[in-house]
Amino acid sequence: MATRAGSLRIVVPSREGRLVRVAAGHSFRIVDVEGAQVGDLFAFAAADLAEHLSASHTRAATSRLFPRPGESFYSNRRRPLLEFVADDSPGVHDMLIAACDQERYAALGAPDHASCADNLRGALAAEGLTVDSVPQPVNVFMNIPVLDGSEVGWLPAQSHAGDSVTLRALDDLVVVLSACPQDLVEINAGEPTPLAIELL
């Protein structure tokens, strides 16, 4: 766990998750350290973890399938939790796909695989926190185009080493970032690699 204290960089090892607390009004940056790595971003209102970042409520608020700078990410209570401040990447991110979990990997023939759902639970548990269910994350750097109006593609992330997105907390938040361990579907363009969180 990390709290904001000036500028601080937290490495999220490949296939793992890390938790940070971000105070309202403060910003943080998610960095793709080596390139082509998806990050599952979860955020919860610090005062009540039942309120969380919701991709579906964000789509309703913005009338967009995918995020862009200048807009906000909304909670399941339809409040803005995060502002998307800047995007220093190709700008390809996802708000359609659920976090990978044990059931997903079991269907792919790898039932004991690390998952973003487990990474979330583990990062919260390390701080004595729990949630009733795993919210759908915002998947930074994930490349899931809509094809022919109805089908989704599973393509490698387009981000390069050092690419980043910057977000600003609009409430006191508990943020968890998972360096997605998916290596059975080619979203990470090979073996998963680390991400970093920079508290600004």
Side-chain angles (χ1 to χ4, degrees):
M1 187 274 290
T3 56
R4 185 190 177 278
S7 181
L8 178 66
R9 181 180 174 98
I10 302 100
V11 173
V12 183
S14 65
R15 305 174 189 272
E16 296 185 17
R18 292 292 183 270
L19 181 151
V20 296
R21 295 179 185 269
V22 186
H26 293 292
S27 297
F28 63 97
R29 183 180 298 125
I30 297 172
V31 182
D32 189 347
V33 176
E34 298 182 21
Q37 173 61 44
V38 170
D40 283 38
L41 173 65
F42 305 90
F44 303 84
D48 182 1
L49 297 190
E51 182 175 13
H52 57 77
L53 174 64
S54 169
S56 60
H57 290 81
T58 298
R59 293 194 304 268
T62 63
S63 296
R64 290 177 53 80
L65 291 178
F66 306 113
R68 66 180 175 188
E71 297 179 342
S72 294
F73 295 104
Y74 285 74
S75 79
N76 56 317
R77 295 177 184 167
R78 301 190 187 274
R79 289 195 312 125
L81 287 188
L82 282 169
E83 179 186 356
F84 193 177
V85 175
D87 192 348
D88 180 24
S89 80
V92 178
H93 312 284
D94 169 66
M95 294 195 300
L96 299 177
I97 303 302
C100 58
D101 53 27
Q102 289 298 312
E103 293 77 13
R104 169 72 164 150
Y105 288 112
L108 293 172
D112 296 321
H113 201 284
S115 74
C116 288
D118 286 344
N119 288 345
L120 170 66
R121 294 188 189 99
L124 290 171
E127 296 297 313
L129 303 173
T130 60
V131 290
D132 292 335
S133 61
V134 175
Q136 180 189 338
V138 169
N139 300 305
V140 295
F141 311 127
M142 190 172 184
N143 185 9
I144 304 291
V146 176
L147 308 173
D148 298 324
S150 62
E151 296 186 5
V152 296
W154 298 83
L155 301 182
Q158 296 181 5
S159 49
H160 302 94
D163 283 356
S164 67
V165 296
T166 302
L167 304 138
R168 185 170 68 92
L170 302 177
D171 197 352
D172 292 344
L173 299 178
V174 173
V175 173
V176 175
L177 180 66
S178 172
C180 183
Q182 178 63 265
D183 54 6
L184 303 177
V185 175
E186 197 180 12
I187 60 167
N188 286 320
E191 283 296 307
T193 56
L195 298 171
I197 307 169
E198 294 177 351
L199 300 177
L200 306 175

